[in-house]
Amino acid sequence: MDTKLRGDIAEQAAVFHALKRGWGVLKPVGDRLPYDLVFDVEGTLIKIQVKYAWFDEPSGNYVVDNRRTKTNRRIMVRDVYQLSDFDFALVYIENLDLFYIFPVDVFISYGSEIHIVEAEKRQRKPRSAEYRNAWELIINALTRAGC
C-alpha cells in the first residue's frame, strides 16, 4: 500500500469519527494547503492535519513523520510545520482504528518522527499517551478560545 493510499484511509477515518461526533467536515480543494480537513465544531472552524502511523517492527512502536512533504515530478522536499499551519494533528493507527489528537504546538515540538507506544511494555507512560483518543482536546480548545 503506498503512502498516498494510507493518507486517504486516515483522512476518511477522521471524517467518519468527526461526523459521529456531530461535527461538520470540510475538505480543501487540492493539496497545496498545510492542512487536510477543516472541522466545523459548534460553528468554529478547526484546521486538521491527518497523518497515518506505520508499525515499526524492530521497535514495536507506531511511527509517524511530523514533517510536511512537498513533491513534484522530480523531487520530494520535507519541511517543518509552523504553528499557523493547522490547529490539530490527528495521527491514525489503522489496525486499532485509533487516533492520537495532538495540538499543533505539541506535534511540531517532536523531532522528525513521533514514536507511539501502544504496548504496555514500559513502567512509565510515554509522552504521547495523554493524546490517545483525546478528542476532548478539540472541544477544550473552543472553551479556551471563548467560543
Side-chain angles (χ1 to χ4, degrees), residues 71-88:
T71 58
N72 66 22
R73 290 187 175 103
R74 294 180 208 155
I75 60 170
M76 180 171 72
V77 177
R78 297 204 187 261
D79 198 6
V80 294
Y81 286 105
Q82 304 300 314
L83 280 172
S84 60
D85 286 343
F86 52 87
D87 301 306
F88 288 91

Side-chain angles (χ1 to χ4, degrees), residues 10 49-56 59 61-69 78 81 89-93 100 102 107 110-117 128:
Q49 174 56 238
V50 181
K51 296 287 189 176
Y52 184 102
W54 68 91
F55 187 73
D56 179 57
S59 69
N61 297 335
Y62 291 91
V63 181
V64 65
D65 192 327
N66 71 338
R67 297 170 292 174
R68 185 176 183 175
T69 304
R78 297 204 187 261
Y81 286 105
L90 276 57
V91 176
Y92 186 57
I93 299 176
Y100 278 73
F102 291 99
F107 186 75
Y110 283 84
S112 60
E113 292 180 342
I114 300 173
H115 287 255
I116 298 171
V117 179
S128 60

